[in-house]
Each structure stands twice: as structure tokens, then as C-alpha cells.
């Protein structure tokens, strides 16, 4: 496919980016995808109108809106970034395959629907293409609370006249399973204790939202959550501001890291990014807390460092494509270890097309930094890998054209416009 703008008609949207730098200016971080999708699902738990603000303009929010609408909710965008979700109680707890297969977060309707309506049927969820993503922990947790499951023909069906509290210990702090069990436990009889719960900022955001609705949750932000069940009538709709997206914040930091310069990232929260910011610092970025956000500058070649992904507060797997991209132009050799999704190295082949020297073996990658990448056509295989390709393009001589950008649109609000506003030579090419 020839994707050079003006030379031929292209079949799908693409992003063209050229080596640019230094960057300067200011970028605002939108609300967190991985928070807002769960907040939207949680609005199923109470009748009335929930208001969410700082809602990012991304395709996954549109898909979640369609899913909730198919279930019977009424969703309106009141102004950019402000959404109302009205639940009249007339909900059909059956989630259609065409929507569920598009986003992993659709699994988050399981807990609320089961707790509220006693029955739910949904297709097994889809989402990013980086390996099998089972839901056994969601199921085992809900079974411990009295639910029964039937899985057949790609559908999961769950039943529970009334869920009851339980002591649940996770083998691994799953984000999605923690969220589902917390939501279900809010409306269960008695007390649920979750040991080894996930502690991501997005889970804290969900718990705070639920507490404002009337839920009783203790230990928020720790690995041991205690949820004291309340009645349906104890919950009421609330207005809530979604936390900023830490992965998007890191994307703009990575852009400055490879292109040089200094930008102010407004709304970025250091307290959500402590460990990853330390690692950015080790690589040679300067990150200062200022009023309203974080100022990031990078004025020399990056340095190598080893990275291992871990559940929060460790380095999130979602940062890894960005960090491997940074390390591919750093001085020295780095070892990157993926501890969450063994198959999540697919974008490495794309970076190699740009001249990166990376070898993978099992869940490790050895990255030998090269002084410069060289532009080429590459493909985005998932949301974060797509953003990493864009960042790589800023460090690559000539033009890099990224296809598969529907993945980027799923999780990034106007990545191209934001990068262009700080001086990046980047354009979106729409088919036509
Ligand atoms: C969420 C994020 C995703 C992020 C991930 C880890 C959303 C929409 N997505 O995904 O961007 O990369 O957290 O920070 O919020 N697992 C099981 N059985 C289960 C559940 C999970 O084996 O029942 C495994 C998964 O396959 C994976 C690991 O546990 O290997 C982590 O999954 P989990 O923390 O649940 O991630 P998600 O909630 O799917």
C-alpha cells in the first residue's frame, strides 16, 4: 500500500509522522479510559441520572455507550467531556456479541448486572489482540458469592437470586476481577473481603465513585478491600470527575524523551505515576511537579535502564511499548521483562522495521539502543503499541506511516492534534 499523502488513494486512515524536535508547549491529559469505562458500567447499579465529566473523546467510550444503550440505559453528551447516563431500571441484562467483542472492559457489566438484576448473559469479551485474557478469576469470585455460571457457544451466563458476601483471595491482583467483585459486593448481603486486590488509581477512582453513590468500602487503595453490602435503595446517582489518564500522560513524556524539548503536561498526576517517573528520570528525562501538572524536559540522548512490568504500584504493562521505544534509541543495552501478558511484544517487529535492535525471548526483550531510527510504514497492533509507533516516528529519519490507527482512536483523544500543537510534524491521513 502506498500511503504517501497526495500520491494515491488510501484504503484506511493512517498517521504520518516525521523526525521532529525539540518539542515545546503545553498538552492537557484527558480522562482515563480505564477508569471511565468502569464508572459507566457502575451507573447500571442505581436508578436515576449519573453525570460523568472529564470523559475522554475516544472510541471505547462510544462503544461502551452503545453497549449500555443496548442494555436499556439512556446516554447523552451534554457538552464536550460531560456525559449523563440515565437508568430507569428498565434494563435487559443481555450484552450483544457485536459490542462485547470490541472491548475488554465490557466484562465490567457482569458484576453490576448480576448484583442488580440477578441474571446476566454476555459474550466472552474481546479487546486488544495481545494474547488470551481469561476471566476465571471474575467467575470464581462471583461463584464464591453465590452466583452460578453457564458457559456455552461463546456466551457467559450468570444467575444469582441474591449474592452474599465472601472472603476472596486472588492469586494475582487482576484489575478487571477486582472491579467486578467490588461492584457485585456493594449490593450483596453481608461483608466481602478481597485479599490481594489490585490497587491501580483507576480502582481507587471506581471505589470513590461507588462510595459517593452510597457504597461502604474500606481499605481503598490497599490490597485488602472490605465491602459491606447495602440495599438497592441506599444507592443514588452522583456527579463524578474522571481521573486523568496516566498512560496518555506517559505518552507525551515519551514523545519529549525521544524528540527533546520541554512541555507542560497539564492534569498529569505524579502520585499516580511515581515508579514510572523514576524510570523516566533514570533514562535522562527531567520531570518537575508544577502547579496544574508536570513539566517534562529531555535535552540529551536517553540512557539504558532495565524495566519489568508489574501490577500497580509497579510499572504498568501499558507503559511498556513506550519504554521499549525510548530504550531503542538510548545509549546502552536494556532488558525489559513482561510479567503480565507474555505475548505482548508484537510491536517489536514493527520497531525492528524502523531499525531498532531488539531481540525477544519468552517474556524478555533485550534492547540495544541505536543512535537513530529510520522511517518506514508500520502497523499499530493495539492501543498502546500504536501510540508507541507514533513516538518512534518522532525519532526516525524521514517519514513513518502508521496504519491500523483505529486502535489508537480507541484509547487516545486527538493524539495527532496534541502532538502537532507542541511542534511535532505529524498529520492524519483519512481515506478518500
Ligand atoms: C486492565 C486494563 C489494561 C491493563 C491491565 C493490566 C482495562 C480496560 N484494561 O485489563 O489496559 O493492561 O489492566 O494493568 O482496564 N487474568 C486471568 N484471569 C482473570 C483475569 C485476568 O488469568 O480472570 C490475567 C490476564 O490474562 C492477564 C493478567 O491476569 O495476564 C492481568 O489481567 P487484569 O489485571 O485482569 O487486566 P484487565 O482488567 O483485563
Amino acid at each position: 500500500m502506498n500511503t504517501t499523502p497526495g500520491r494515491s488513494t488510501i484504503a484506511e486512515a493512517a498517521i504520518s509522522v516525521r523526525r521532529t524536535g525539540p518539542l515545546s508547549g503545553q498538552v492537557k491529559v484527558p480522562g482515563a479510559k480505564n477508569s471511565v469505562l468502569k464508572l459507566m458500567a457502575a451507573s447500571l447499579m442505581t436508578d436515576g441520572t449519573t453525570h460523568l465529566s472529564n470523559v475522554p473523546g475516544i472510541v471505547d467510550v462510544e462503544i461502551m455507550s452503545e453497549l449500555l444503550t443496548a442494555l436499556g440505559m439512556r446516554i447523552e453528551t451534554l457538552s464536550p467531556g460531560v456525559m449523563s447516563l440515565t437508568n430507569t431500571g428498565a434494563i435487559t441484562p443481555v450484552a450483544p456479541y457485536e459490542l462485547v467483542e470490541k472491548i475488554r472492559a465490557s466484562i465490567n457489566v457482569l458484576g453490576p448486572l448480576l448484583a442488580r438484576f440477578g441474571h446476566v448473559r454476555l459474550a466472552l469479551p474481546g479487546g486488544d489482540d495481545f494474547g488470551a485474557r481469561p476471566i476465571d478469576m471474575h467467575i470464581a469470585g462471583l461463584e464464591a458469592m453465590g452466583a452460578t455460571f453457564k458457559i456455552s457457544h461463546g456466551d457467559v451466563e450468570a444467575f444469582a437470586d441474591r449474592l452474599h458476601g465472601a472472603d476472596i483471595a486472588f492469586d494475582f491482583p487482576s484489575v478487571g476481577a477486582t472491579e467486578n467483585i467490588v461492584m457485585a459486593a456493594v449490593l450483596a448481603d453481608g461483608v466481602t473481603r478481597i485479599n490481594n486486590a489490585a490497587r491501580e488509581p483507576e480502582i481507587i477512582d471506581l471505589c470513590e465513585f461507588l462510595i459517593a453513590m452510597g457504597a461502604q468500602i474500606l481499605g481503598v487503595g490497599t490490597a485488602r478491600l472490605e465491602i459491606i453490602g447495602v440495599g438497592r435503595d441506599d444507592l443514588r446517582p452522583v456527579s463524578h470527575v474522571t481521573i486523568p489518564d496516566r498512560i496518555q500522560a506517559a505518552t507525551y513524556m515519551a514523545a519529549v524523551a525521544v524528540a527533546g524539548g520541554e512541555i507542560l503536561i497539564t492534569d498529569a498526576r505524579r502520585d499516580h505515576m511515581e515508579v514510572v517517573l523514576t524510570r523516566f528520570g533514570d533514562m535522562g528525562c527531567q520531570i518537575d511537579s508544577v502547579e496544574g501538572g508536570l513539566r517534562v524536559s529531555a535535552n540529551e540522548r536517553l540512557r539504558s535502564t532495565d524495566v519489568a512490568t508489574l501490577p500497580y504500584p509497579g510499572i504498568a504493562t501499558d507503559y511498556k511499548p513506550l519504554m521499549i521505544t525510548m530504550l531503542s534509541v538510548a545509549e546502552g543495552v536494556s532488558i525489559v521483562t513482561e510479567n503480565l501478558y507474555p505475548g505482548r511484544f508484537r510491536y517489536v517487529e514493527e520497531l525492528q522495521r524502523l531499525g531498532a535492535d531488539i531481540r525477544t525471548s519468552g517474556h524478555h526483550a533485550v534492547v540495544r539502543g541505536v543512535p537513530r531510527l529510520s522511517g518506514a510504514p508500520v502497523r499499530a497492533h493495539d492501543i498502546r503499541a500504536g501510540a508507541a509507533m507514533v513516538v518512534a516516528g518522532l525519532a526516525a529519519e524521514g517519514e513513518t506511516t502508521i496504519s491500523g490507527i483505529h486502535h489508537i482512536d480507541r484509547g487516545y483523544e486527538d493524539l495527532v492534534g496534541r502532538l502537532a500543537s507542541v511542534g511535532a510534524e505529524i498529520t492524519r491521513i483519512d481515506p478518500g
Side-chain angles (χ1 to χ4, degrees):
M1 182 179 71
N2 182 348
T3 50
T4 309
R7 255 201 257 153
S8 72
T9 303
I10 57 163
E12 61 167 317
I15 292 173
S16 158
V17 55
R18 291 182 165 275
R19 183 170 150 74
T20 328
L23 303 179
S24 70
Q26 187 170 320
V27 166
K28 183 181 177 301
V29 183
K33 168 180 91 73
N34 286 352
S35 201
V36 77
L37 299 175
K38 326 304 171 63
L39 302 174
M40 290 173 74
S43 70
L44 285 164
M45 294 167 61
T46 180
D47 287 351
T49 301
T50 296
H51 288 94
L52 295 177
S53 53
N54 205 24
V55 175
I58 58 175
V59 171
D60 272 13
V61 165
E62 288 170 24
I63 298 170
M64 189 55 128
S65 297
E66 283 176 46
L67 173 59
L68 295 177
T69 304
L71 294 171
M73 302 270 296
R74 197 173 72 243
I75 300 192
E76 284 172 87
T77 300
L78 303 179
S79 58
V82 182
M83 170 183 276
S84 71
L85 305 99
T86 303
N87 183 352
T88 60
I91 297 289
T92 310
V94 178
Y97 170 77
E98 315 79 72
L99 297 170
V100 170
E101 59 116 12
K102 289 187 186 160
I103 48 170
R104 170 78 176 172
S106 51
I107 190 67
N108 281 100
V109 301
L110 180 62
L113 286 176
L114 187 60
R116 174 83 202 272
F117 302 98
H119 170 226
V120 49
R121 192 170 89 223
L122 81 162
L124 285 165
D128 283 317
D129 178 19
F130 46 74
R133 297 173 85 176
I135 55 164
D136 53 309
M137 291 164 65
H138 302 242
I139 292 176
L142 293 168
E143 277 177 343
M145 297 171 72
T148 52
F149 279 82
K150 258 186 11 201
I151 299 182
S152 57
H153 309 294
D155 277 347
V156 189
E157 199 166 5
F159 306 86
D161 282 343
R162 182 91 174 122
L163 293 170
H164 54 74
D167 282 357
I168 295 165
F170 286 142
D171 291 343
F172 174 90
S174 156
V175 171
T178 302
E179 292 161 340
N180 251 331
I181 304 302
V182 166
M183 289 189 279
V186 164
L187 286 176
D189 278 334
V191 178
T192 301
R193 292 180 197 85
I194 309 177
N195 238 322
N196 201 17
R199 291 179 280 164
E200 272 69 2
E202 293 76 20
I203 291 177
I204 299 177
D205 201 26
L206 174 64
C207 288
E208 286 176 351
F209 174 81
L210 293 168
I211 290 168
M213 275 169 72
Q216 293 189 34
I217 307 174
L218 307 175
V220 174
T222 74
R224 197 177 152 77
L225 293 172
E226 188 169 306
I227 304 104
I228 301 138
V230 297
R232 270 177 213 171
D233 296 340
D234 295 323
L235 298 185
R236 58 195 170 269
V238 291
S239 294
H240 184 89
V241 184
T242 314
I243 58 166
D245 194 313
R246 59 199 166 103
I247 316 291
Q248 290 200 51
T251 304
Y252 297 107
M253 290 175 191
V256 174
V258 302
E262 177 176 310
I263 66 171
L264 171 63
I265 307 180
T266 59
D267 281 8
R269 282 182 58 169
R270 182 182 280 275
D271 60 325
H272 289 170
M273 304 177 74
E274 291 288 359
V275 178
V276 73
L277 292 189
T278 305
R279 211 41 60 85
F280 273 58
D282 295 343
M283 284 191 246
C285 301
Q286 171 78 29
I287 299 168
D288 298 307
S289 299
V290 293
E291 205 184 319
L294 296 172
R295 189 182 302 285
V296 186
S297 60
N299 295 306
E300 54 194 38
R301 186 168 174 201
L302 297 172
R303 297 185 291 271
S304 61
T305 186
D306 293 343
V307 176
T309 62
L310 281 173
Y312 194 83
I315 294 177
T317 179
D318 292 11
Y319 294 127
K320 200 192 56 192
L322 297 165
M323 299 184 88
I324 289 198
T325 301
M326 291 162 69
L327 295 171
S328 70
V329 290
E331 176 105 56
V333 180
S334 313
I335 296 173
V336 179
T337 304
E338 170 60 61
N339 289 313
L340 276 84
Y341 297 103
R344 205 173 184 181
F345 276 122
R346 213 170 144 198
Y347 53 90
V348 161
E349 285 166 33
E350 306 295 320
L351 286 173
Q352 286 164 340
R353 290 173 54 72
L354 299 177
D357 183 350
I358 306 171
R359 311 237 168 119
T360 57
S361 171
H363 61 129
H364 301 289
V366 177
V367 187
R368 290 187 173 79
V370 295
R372 193 142 296 172
L373 300 175
S374 135
V378 289
R379 190 156 191 89
H381 291 294
D382 67 57
I383 301 176
R384 308 303 171 190
M389 291 305 126
V390 171
V391 170
L394 289 171
E397 292 294 356
E399 183 186 23
T400 298
T401 320
I402 300 123
S403 56
I405 64 168
H406 57 281
H407 287 295
I408 298 177
D409 293 338
R410 282 188 46 206
Y412 280 84
E413 182 186 288
D414 196 16
L415 179 63
V416 169
R418 279 180 165 77
L419 284 173
S421 77
V422 291
E425 227 180 291
I426 182 167
T427 48
R428 184 183 175 109
I429 314 157
D430 281 309

